[in-house]
Amino acid sequence: MTLHRLTIHEAHDLLRERRISAVELTESVLSQIDRHDEEIKAYITVTPEVALEQARRADELISAGEARPLTGIPVAIKDNMCTRGVPTTCGSRMLENFVPPYSATVVGRLYDEGAVLVGKANMDEFAMGSSTEYSAFFPTHNPWDASRVPGGSSGGAAAAVAANETLFALGSDTGGSIRQPAALCGVTGLKPTYGRVSRYGLIAFASSLDQIGPLTKDVRDCALVMNALAFHDPQDSTSASKSTPDYTSYLTDDLTGVVVGVPTEYFATGLDSGVEERVRDAIAKLAELGAEIREISMPHEQYVVATYFLTSWAEASANLARYDGVKYGLFAPDAQDIGEAQSKARGRGFGREVKRRIMLGTYALSSGYYDAYYLNAQKVRTLVKEDFDRAFAEGVDVVVGPTSPIVAFGIGELVDDPLEMYLSDLYTIPANLAGLPCISIPCGFHEGLPVGFQIMGRPFAEGTVLTVAYAFEQSTDFHLQRPSIGT
Ligand code: GLN
């Protein structure tokens, strides 16, 4: 049985025609997990019972002629999204025993659509990291080369999709955590416009930057999942009250008239020459497909890493204050008083990277330093956004470049060099600072490892981003290539 290799749209056609059942599809994915997850370690929790129960229910819906595009389709959810009754650890000892009493809005929506939860995907603790090595439990391995990282922080989600251990996954992206692992694992990952998808039930990292989005095997699947995820949620005050287009209607292969901006600053030092070559080839392909390529400038690109980390550390230090061992988090039974209980809970519950960020963020918000750090970061954030506003005002439809300056690196290679790890986020961060939709799609290989191509659009122009991504994808076959483990 090779049903686990199907895309969502392929599986949907077979399910609807009753040529396969949701139970068969789910069993195929669960056995792929059984065979390979000991090596890949994409999942913190696998949920076979929930999955089979949901699959049976999906088969009933399908028999009743009520098959929706995600009915009966297996999904992996990053472990920072609440799933009622299913442990949600956020990759942290702090939440090791947390079983949420409710589901995130997006999870509820997927359940309503008939999707099948196969498990909760590994991640860097509290989504802080770019390699999944900061998971409190274990690192995830890249399906293309198990000695390398899958990227992060949604590394488990990306690896699960690449290894065919699910048909699709949901990740979260604060500074690149959907797109960078998608790039490093050779899959498709979309960070929607800030506000497009509800964050209710997503465990907060940096609330002004966090967005949930899909990781899929191709662009059509990405559009199908977005159809389910994009709607107004009154439970999230930043959720946009915009109507949801049918994103699949944007999947055309004609780019005539589309203006593609290529920032000079996205091809700076530090960009691996092999990655650059693939990305330049991708841009040439867009020109072949009818797009107008225009060189542009993003003068504030050099400040994005500092701006992002100051902002996200500050927000994280506030968001993570709730883990006090009383209301949330690890309980310290040996403490004598409340102060000691809190300090023991936080001392034991958080890993090194999370502690580092809480300390730096607290410092950046403290009296006397607030203006110099946090406030300045907010001003620079506006300048970064204005770089994009200018390009869009001058007629640019999408801004493109590399997703990551490097291909998947070795496990252990950067884990003790946080600064180097932070710097590798330089191309994904701008879309978060400016709140823009941005997709990463596979655009080739360098030294046998996948390279990601990033396409950013105007706010709420997910459709345009999908058009460009789809046109490129359909004229190449990179998205069809799978690591041998995925077969
Ligand atoms: N790698 C970035 C960080 O370490 C992004 C994380 C994310 O998007 N959640 O913060």
Side-chain angles (χ1 to χ4, degrees):
M1 279 285 231
T2 53
L3 298 184
H4 52 273
R5 293 166 65 175
L6 297 171
T7 61
I8 298 173
H9 54 92
E10 289 165 349
H12 172 68
D13 290 344
L14 295 171
L15 285 165
R16 209 192 37 210
E17 292 161 12
R18 312 275 297 276
R19 288 167 55 200
I20 61 170
S21 73
V23 168
E24 283 168 335
L25 177 60
T26 301
E27 281 172 345
S28 174
V29 166
L30 289 172
S31 68
Q32 179 73 356
I33 296 174
D34 269 351
R35 272 197 300 278
H36 296 297
D37 210 49
E38 213 157 306
E39 185 183 5
I40 299 300
K41 295 192 168 301
Y43 289 97
I44 294 176
T45 308
V46 183
T47 53
E49 278 121 49
V50 177
L52 289 168
E53 174 58 39
Q54 289 178 332
R56 278 190 284 273
R57 169 87 189 112
D59 279 330
E60 281 165 27
L61 288 171
I62 296 165
S63 306
E66 288 170 34
R68 305 196 30 88
L70 301 183
T71 307
I73 306 291
V75 58
I77 308 269
K78 186 179 182 179
D79 213 18
N80 60 351
M81 284 168 237
C82 288
T83 39
R84 191 159 84 98
V86 175
T88 299
T89 68
C90 217
S92 182
R93 293 275 168 221
M94 188 57 104
L95 291 174
E96 197 170 2
N97 301 314
F98 177 55
V99 180
Y102 71 104
S103 288
T105 297
V106 291
V107 171
R109 173 54 73 98
L110 292 186
Y111 289 174
D112 289 348
E113 295 284 303
V116 170
L117 177 72
V118 285
K120 301 297 295 289
N122 197 19
M123 55 182 284
D124 288 294
E125 184 175 7
F126 282 96
M128 300 176 185
S130 309
S131 68
T132 319
E133 291 165 290
Y134 294 139
S135 163
F137 306 112
F138 40 76
T140 296
H141 298 253
N142 192 310
W144 291 90
D145 174 349
S147 73
R148 293 174 189 263
V149 304
S153 60
S154 314
V161 176
N164 286 326
E165 291 184 29
T166 182
L167 267 65
F168 76 106
L170 291 191
S172 69
D173 191 313
T174 306
S177 278
I178 291 175
R179 293 160 287 150
Q180 184 258 16
L184 270 45
C185 289
V187 301
T188 296
L190 174 76
K191 181 201 87 71
T193 308
Y194 184 79
R196 180 67 282 190
V197 174
S198 166
R199 291 180 294 114
Y200 181 73
L202 168 68
I203 297 176
F205 164 11
S207 307
S208 76
L209 300 158
D210 299 341
Q211 264 296 285
I212 291 171
L215 289 120
T216 57
K217 296 179 189 177
D218 66 15
V219 177
R220 177 170 295 279
D221 280 4
C222 189
L224 287 169
V225 180
M226 278 306 291
N227 280 352
L229 296 184
F231 59 92
H232 174 64
D233 177 13
Q235 303 266 48
D236 171 0
S237 61
T238 61
S239 157
S241 48
K242 282 196 172 277
S243 59
T244 311
D246 174 4
Y247 289 108
T248 61
S249 69
Y250 290 91
L251 305 180
T252 60
D253 50 17
D254 182 12
L255 296 186
T256 315
V258 174
V259 180
V260 175
V262 182
T264 330
E265 294 82 0
Y266 288 7
F267 296 86
T269 43
L271 175 60
D272 185 301
S273 59
V275 172
E276 171 163 0
E277 254 170 56
R278 297 292 92 76
V279 171
R280 298 253 185 225
D281 289 349
I283 295 168
K285 175 63 85 181
L286 296 183
E288 239 173 70
L289 293 166
E292 179 195 327
I293 311 297
R294 206 183 278 176
E295 189 160 329
I296 59 171
S297 177
M298 293 279 163
H300 297 94
E301 169 63 20
Q302 56 184 309
Y303 306 114
V304 299
V305 174
T307 306
Y308 163 76
F309 280 99
L310 273 171
T311 305
S312 65
W313 289 335
E315 293 184 18
S317 74
N319 274 328
L320 271 56
R322 75 192 67 172
Y323 304 103
D324 57 4
V326 179
K327 192 162 182 194
Y328 289 107
L330 214 70
F331 175 60
D334 53 333
Q336 303 300 317
D337 57 46
I338 183 80
E340 192 185 334
Q342 290 189 354
S343 116
K344 284 201 159 137
R346 291 170 73 80
R348 292 169 188 166
F350 290 135
R352 277 180 55 196
E353 178 63 18
V354 173
K355 284 181 185 160
R356 177 162 37 232
R357 294 189 188 203
I358 292 175
M359 283 190 274
L360 289 163
T362 306
Y363 180 76
L365 288 178
S366 60
S367 144
Y369 296 99
Y370 180 90
D371 289 4
Y373 292 115
Y374 188 71
L375 199 64
N376 264 339
Q378 297 322 295
K379 290 178 183 164
V380 180
R381 182 173 180 180
T382 303
L383 295 174
V384 172
K385 185 175 172 298
E386 284 171 0
D387 284 352
F388 284 96
D389 291 346
R390 205 171 313 116
F392 294 138
E394 285 165 6
V396 168
D397 294 300
V398 292
V399 175
V400 302
T403 306
S404 163
I406 47 176
V407 291
F409 43 94
I411 291 180
E413 211 177 293
L414 296 183
V415 75
D416 294 320
D417 190 350
L419 191 58
E420 195 58 35
M421 188 99 85
Y422 299 161
L423 288 173
S424 71
D425 294 335
L426 83 171
Y427 298 130
T428 47
I429 284 170
N432 300 84
L433 291 176
L436 306 173
C438 183
I439 199 169
S440 176
I441 54 171
C443 71
F445 293 84
H446 174 48
E447 291 169 350
L449 295 163
V451 175
F453 182 51
Q454 198 173 235
I455 305 163
M456 265 168 274
R458 294 188 172 93
F460 299 99
E462 277 80 1
T464 312
V465 167
L466 289 165
T467 301
V468 178
Y470 184 75
F472 176 81
E473 178 196 84
Q474 291 302 300
S475 62
T476 59
D477 68 355
F478 306 122
H479 64 294
L480 300 175
Q481 305 192 26
R482 287 277 146 257
S484 52
I485 211 169
T487 54

